[in-house]
Amino acid sequence: MKLKWKLLLVFVVVLVLCTASFAADRRIVVGFAQIGSESDWRVGSTNSVRQACADAGFELIFVDANQMQENQLSALRDFITRGVDYIGFSPVVMTGWDQIMMEIKDAGIPVIMLDRNIDMPNHTDYYATWIGSNFVEEGEKSALWLLDYLGIHGRWGEEINIVELQGTVGSSPAIDRKTGFENIIKDHPNLKITQSQTGDFTTELGKTVMESFLRRAQSDGVKIDVLYAHNDGMAIGAIQAIKEAGLVPGKDIIIIGVDAVKLAFEAILAGEMNVTVECSPLLGPQFVQAIKDIEAGETLDKITFSIEHVYDETLSKLMPHRYLSAEEHYPSRVY
Ligand code: GYE
């Protein structure tokens, strides 16, 4: 063989080997469009996704959208342009995603929905799976806990005025937690929601809105018996407002929160909050597993719910089959 052909052969062999090793080393690239960092829950969710992707050796392009839909839309569009392998997505609100979901589908990028859901025609056609909590059930559990609590305190049938701090307007947990709670209280006409407003899932707004609930209740001469907050962060802010108004949270006003973050456990142990309904943000490992399953050619279930509990320091002593002790589980909380 002539030298020039030999050199060409060597070149081709080297090229093939390089390409093969590049393919073997090629990391899976995941774009994740996160809502923001509005709560301890969300921070727990972000940490869980980051850690699980790092453990799996994925390259993660992570965007914090600061609770703004337009930021999420541009992050998703950027993921398409970059040609990521997978998209992870927690939509801040339910609607307004039709166009982008179609674009992602056309680009052939599998989407894994985490935590919140979208509302568009045939929405399940646009994602491989959705992993999260049953928010309607969380609302129902909150109301059922309240009925049990009133029962053991001999307040069954008493007129009970409830104020509600809703989550982000138009988000699936805010819509569903309200629906779930109302599903139960509608059969109990003595339980009334007297004021209801959004606190956007933040502690700061939870406090501000609770202050206005208290002012309005005072001027109307109406007692507030219960606060139902769609997340613990808002409940913590409201507790502050209640204290500043000279009332005793957890006693003068029964406080119900959702998420089961560490701070809620601390408030329960301090007697300032009564119960927290768990919603787990630790979805990173399931998110990574879903990607691995798709890589292996499996078809995923469209919905995966996480298993969650209710924690308090009163009913868990009497009904341990239904409620868990906050004190006992506090040391093992990770968010
Ligand atoms: O309850 C709240 C957060 O979407 C389930 O978002 C999540 C909610 C969670 O900021 O704290």
Side-chain angles (χ1 to χ4, degrees):
M1 215 190 292
K2 283 214 174 108
L3 184 62
K4 108 171 157 192
W5 291 114
K6 276 190 187 156
L7 282 175
L8 187 66
L9 189 66
V10 169
F11 176 74
V12 169
V13 168
V14 168
L15 192 71
V16 167
L17 287 176
C18 285
T19 316
S21 92
F22 175 74
D25 286 352
R26 204 191 146 278
R27 299 210 293 161
I28 291 175
V29 180
V30 178
F32 195 92
Q34 178 62 291
I35 291 172
S37 30
E38 73 283 0
S39 62
D40 289 358
W41 190 101
R42 187 67 51 202
V43 174
S45 155
T46 293
N47 292 343
S48 177
V49 169
R50 281 191 189 280
Q51 187 61 50
C53 286
D55 291 347
F58 297 166
E59 183 184 332
L60 176 67
I61 306 169
F62 185 89
V63 177
D64 175 330
N66 200 18
Q67 280 189 291
M68 284 153 85
Q69 181 169 33
E70 69 241 47
N71 292 349
Q72 284 198 302
L73 286 168
S74 56
L76 293 170
R77 213 149 262 137
D78 182 53
F79 295 157
I80 300 174
T81 312
R82 292 188 189 210
V84 300
D85 300 308
Y86 292 90
I87 288 179
F89 178 33
S90 292
V92 60
V93 291
M94 294 192 82
T95 54
W97 307 105
D98 305 33
Q99 178 62 32
I100 193 76
M101 292 308 276
M102 287 178 207
E103 288 173 31
I104 296 172
K105 195 171 182 184
D106 288 347
I109 305 171
V111 178
I112 291 139
M113 306 289 297
L114 219 62
D115 156 37
R116 298 188 188 173
N117 214 328
I118 52 169
D119 183 16
M120 66 182 272
N122 307 318
H123 62 96
T124 55
D125 292 351
Y126 293 87
Y127 52 81
T129 188
W130 173 87
I131 305 163
S133 304
N134 188 331
F135 302 132
V136 173
E137 203 174 275
E138 289 166 357
E140 290 174 350
K141 284 182 188 166
S142 303
L144 288 169
W145 177 90
L146 178 61
L147 290 173
D148 281 340
Y149 189 84
L150 293 171
I152 66 139
H153 286 87
R155 298 179 69 183
W156 189 258
E158 210 177 274
E159 289 291 313
I160 300 292
N161 295 328
I162 303 165
V163 295
E164 178 184 34
L165 276 168
Q166 296 182 38
T168 300
V169 175
S171 69
S172 53
I175 295 167
D176 291 354
R177 286 174 186 164
K178 183 167 186 50
T179 304
F181 194 81
E182 287 173 350
N183 283 348
I184 303 296
I185 67 161
K186 71 171 180 346
D187 297 327
H188 301 268
N190 57 314
L191 303 186
K192 276 191 209 78
I193 298 182
T194 50
Q195 299 190 67
S196 179
Q197 209 178 301
T198 181
D200 207 16
F201 281 131
T202 69
T203 300
E204 207 187 348
L205 269 179
K207 179 167 188 269
T208 314
V209 177
M210 188 70 208
E211 283 164 359
S212 84
F213 284 167
L214 288 162
R215 272 197 303 273
R216 158 104 184 266
Q218 201 187 19
S219 71
D220 292 354
V222 176
K223 184 175 181 291
I224 297 175
D225 299 293
V226 177
L227 163 69
Y228 169 45
H230 288 190
N231 82 345
D232 291 332
M234 293 188 294
I236 304 286
I239 287 172
Q240 200 51 42
I242 292 168
K243 284 201 220 166
E244 285 172 17
L247 295 167
V248 184
K251 298 204 169 52
D252 293 335
I253 301 180
I254 299 166
I255 316 275
I256 303 171
V258 184
D259 278 354
V261 299
K262 262 191 194 164
L263 278 182
F265 278 63
E266 286 165 17
I268 292 173
L269 297 182
E272 295 185 339
M273 187 164 164
N274 302 84
V275 64
T276 182
V277 174
E278 188 173 36
C279 174
S280 178
L282 307 177
L283 306 176
Q286 281 170 276
F287 175 68
V288 161
Q289 191 54 47
I291 293 177
K292 289 183 176 167
D293 289 347
I294 298 172
E295 287 286 301
E298 289 176 31
T299 308
L300 306 179
D301 290 340
K302 282 288 171 180
I303 297 184
T304 309
F305 282 130
S306 21
I307 297 164
E308 292 156 343
H309 304 283
V310 178
Y311 300 91
D312 82 350
E313 272 310 293
T314 43
L315 299 183
S316 51
K317 309 257 190 296
L318 307 166
M319 308 175 189
H321 54 288
R322 208 180 299 178
Y323 304 110
L324 300 183
S325 154
E327 187 174 13
E328 208 176 294
H329 291 86
Y330 174 64
S332 58
R333 297 314 286 173
V334 297
Y335 63 97

